[in-house]
Amino acid sequence: MKIITYGIIFTFVTLVRGGFYTKPAEWCSGDFLLKAASRCGAAHGTTEADFHQYINLKPATSQAAKCFRACIFNECKLFNGDHTFSSDLARRTAALTSYGNLQLYKIMQELANICIQHIRTGEDTCDAAETFLKCYVSNSPIPITLQALF
């Protein structure tokens, strides 16, 4: 009976969380994110300080740091091929920063959608990624970081 109960609980949790959690590579976390950050850091000549500013969601201090962030957005498929934001940017961002709290998830998703609507995308993904992060972080109802993703 315990096995059936645990099986039901596991299935329920999986289904509930399935609405906004999937494979780590899709969510750009752990090893996938570390490798992406390493590639992007090398490509844009960023420093360890730039990396820590990103993890702590502090504003970028240079154009290279902005482009490092845009590169990570690209690696994580948060930009489309035409340099516009992906259609699931709000959902994915909210999932990563709501820490499993469904009520907070809804608030964070709405916040991300508001930020997305006020940003012109296109050629300059560096500024678009930075502007999105600044808007999202500065309007968040809670302090957020990306530390848990690494």
Side-chain angles (χ1 to χ4, degrees), residues 12-145:
F12 177 76
V13 169
T14 301
L15 290 172
V16 169
R17 296 183 103 197
F20 54 102
Y21 292 107
T22 60
K23 296 181 261 177
E26 180 185 334
W27 290 104
C28 206
S29 64
D31 219 24
F32 182 91
L33 185 54
L34 283 172
K35 289 176 184 173
S38 178
R39 284 189 298 272
C40 291
H44 296 284
T46 53
T47 66
E48 189 173 328
D50 294 324
F51 177 72
H52 288 287
Q53 286 172 335
Y54 174 67
I55 289 174
N56 292 306
L57 295 172
K58 302 293 182 200
T61 57
S62 68
Q63 187 64 23
K66 288 181 184 181
C67 292
F68 164 74
R69 294 164 185 225
C71 180
I72 290 177
F73 270 49
N74 276 321
E75 291 271 336
C76 296
K77 307 214 182 321
L78 297 175
F79 279 117
N80 296 316
D82 63 355
H83 304 290
T84 58
F85 289 125
S86 72
S87 62
D88 66 345
L89 173 63
R91 177 183 60 85
R92 291 176 63 190
T93 303
L96 293 171
T97 57
S98 62
Y99 310 109
N101 179 323
L102 187 57
Q103 286 181 311
L104 184 57
Y105 168 81
K106 291 176 184 179
I107 293 167
M108 300 305 273
Q109 184 177 25
E110 181 59 30
L111 170 58
N113 278 320
I114 290 168
C115 290
I116 290 166
Q117 291 173 4
H118 295 95
I119 299 170
R120 264 191 13 186
T121 56
E123 293 298 314
D124 192 350
T125 57
C126 301
D127 281 338
E130 181 65 13
T131 302
F132 173 77
L133 289 172
K134 280 182 181 177
C135 175
Y136 191 74
V137 171
S138 67
N139 292 292
S140 174
I142 62 166
I144 53 176
T145 72

